[in-house]
Amino acid sequence: MRSFWDAFIMLFIVLDSIGNIPIFYSLTSNMEESSRKKVFAESIIVASALLIFFALFGYSFFQYYNVTFMDFKIAGGLLLLLISLEGLIGRVEAETLRSEDVAIVPMATPLLAGPGSIYVVMYLSTVYGVLPTLLSIALNTIIAYFILVGSNHIIQKIGKNTILVLARIFSLLLAVLAVSMIRSGLEDALRQVLKGS
């Protein structure tokens, strides 16, 4: 039970479903309620599948394709940077986004199942075992879904203009997060080069 609890808490913090609420809302603000729920469900399912895959086969996958975590950080950071720039100039609010545009990328990955959460589930499966890790993924993603669906009513009470302002602010924060991911990936790459020389 202790192993499951430790795994659950660690993954809950990394997934940061509560922190993703404004970003997810801004990406789906032009959708109907039913469409938004469908997008949330699809993103949670895809994120769950990715986390389960990496919990079970992560190390084998990385070794076979010669992929590193710094590759994930740089690629994910560049992707988030592009999304954030669109949000800052108002493109996200101006367009009617389709579920296939945002449910998988960037919502499922890299926002939910990003480099951090992928690393965590691989670490948890090694330290605590596969079963506690899988149970932690299942419970965390279910909680994430209900947080995202329920948060819509709270955000709507704030008002449309406030939401637009918050969307810009969180787009800026998303850009900061993206730059941080890219910087971290480049630092890891440079550190590996210097270590090799």
Side-chain angles (χ1 to χ4, degrees), residues 73-82 84-85 88 171-187:
K73 288 179 182 178
I74 295 172
L78 289 172
L79 180 62
L80 287 182
L81 184 59
L82 292 175
S84 65
L85 291 176
L88 284 171
S171 291
L172 177 60
L173 293 178
L174 187 60
V176 173
L177 174 62
V179 172
S180 176
M181 288 177 62
I182 295 171
R183 175 181 54 78
S184 178
L186 292 176
E187 286 177 351

Side-chain angles (χ1 to χ4, degrees), residues 100-137:
E100 59 266 28
D101 290 333
V102 295
I104 298 176
V105 177
M107 289 170 63
T109 183
L111 288 178
L112 284 174
S117 54
I118 287 173
Y119 172 80
V120 165
V121 295
M122 291 172 61
Y123 169 80
L124 293 176
S125 63
T126 302
V127 175
Y128 298 111
V130 173
L131 184 58
T133 302
L134 294 180
L135 289 175
S136 173
I137 292 172

Side-chain angles (χ1 to χ4, degrees), residues 14 51 54 64 72-73 84 148 159 163 182:
V14 175
L51 293 177
F54 280 102
Y64 183 81
F72 267 94
K73 288 179 182 178
S84 65
L148 294 174
I163 290 298
I182 295 171

Side-chain angles (χ1 to χ4, degrees), residues 25 29 87 93 159-170:
Y25 184 87
S29 59
E93 288 77 21
K160 185 177 180 181
N161 290 333
T162 305
I163 290 298
L164 291 176
V165 173
L166 288 176
R168 294 294 189 277
I169 293 174
F170 278 96

Side-chain angles (χ1 to χ4, degrees), residues 3-13 124 132 135-136 139-140 143:
S3 297
F4 164 72
W5 179 250
D6 289 344
F8 168 79
I9 292 298
M10 189 178 296
L11 187 56
F12 181 81
I13 294 172
L124 293 176
L135 289 175
S136 173
L139 185 57
N140 267 295
I143 291 175

Side-chain angles (χ1 to χ4, degrees), residues 47-75:
S48 301
L50 285 172
L51 293 177
I52 291 172
F53 172 82
F54 280 102
L56 296 175
F57 311 109
Y59 286 109
S60 300
F61 175 84
F62 275 61
Q63 289 176 355
Y64 183 81
Y65 288 102
N66 198 27
V67 176
T68 65
F69 281 113
M70 56 187 158
D71 297 329
F72 267 94
K73 288 179 182 178
I74 295 172

